[in-house]
Amino acid sequence: MKRIITFILLLPIFAYSFFATSWTGSYIMLEENWKKHIIFTPMNATDPKQIYEIDKFFYALKYQPIITIACIISFLILLSIIVTWIIKKFNNNEKSIVN
């Protein structure tokens, strides 16, 4: 029950922080010197629309670190809860097949 409540509470936190991180990361395309901020996008990119999403994420991490870290942490906790549920489900099915 505790995991379900945690899962339900973390969903809106992740949704909000993901939206805020994406919004902040999209501002890199408005920068005149956007090539200074890119890490993974090739330097021969000519248009800001060619910027990789990971570079937008790092840009958001630079300018709004708390929201971006909240996004990462909430995602990892949600992922761990889902993986735990799946593992328990398969373990229960495996035990019932053996018996």
Side-chain angles (χ1 to χ4, degrees), residues 3 6 14 19 29 35 37 41 43 48 52-53 61-62 69 74 81 87 96:
R3 290 180 197 219
T6 305
F14 172 70
F19 178 74
M29 298 186 330
K35 285 194 176 190
H37 298 286
T41 304
M43 284 295 179
Y52 292 167
E53 292 299 319
L61 184 63
K62 181 178 178 181
I69 291 171
S74 63
I81 290 172
I87 290 172
S96 64

Side-chain angles (χ1 to χ4, degrees), residues 85-98:
W85 282 341
I86 291 172
I87 290 172
K88 283 185 179 182
K89 180 73 172 166
F90 281 119
N91 282 343
N92 288 341
N93 285 342
E94 190 175 290
K95 287 178 184 177
S96 64
I97 292 172
V98 173

Side-chain angles (χ1 to χ4, degrees), residues 11 17 25 35 53 67 78 82-83 92 97:
L11 275 176
S17 61
K35 285 194 176 190
E53 292 299 319
I67 296 291
L78 287 171
I82 291 170
V83 167
N92 288 341
I97 292 172

Side-chain angles (χ1 to χ4, degrees), residues 4-24:
I4 294 172
I5 293 171
T6 305
F7 187 81
I8 291 170
L9 290 175
L10 280 177
L11 275 176
I13 293 171
F14 172 70
Y16 173 77
S17 61
F18 180 76
F19 178 74
T21 300
S22 299
W23 190 278
T24 303

Side-chain angles (χ1 to χ4, degrees), residues 37-48:
H37 298 286
I38 59 175
I39 299 169
F40 294 104
T41 304
M43 284 295 179
N44 61 359
T46 57
D47 189 29

Side-chain angles (χ1 to χ4, degrees), residues 20-29 51 55-57 59-60:
T21 300
S22 299
W23 190 278
T24 303
S26 68
Y27 281 117
I28 191 173
M29 298 186 330
I51 299 173
D55 285 329
K56 293 177 185 177
F57 181 78
Y59 181 83

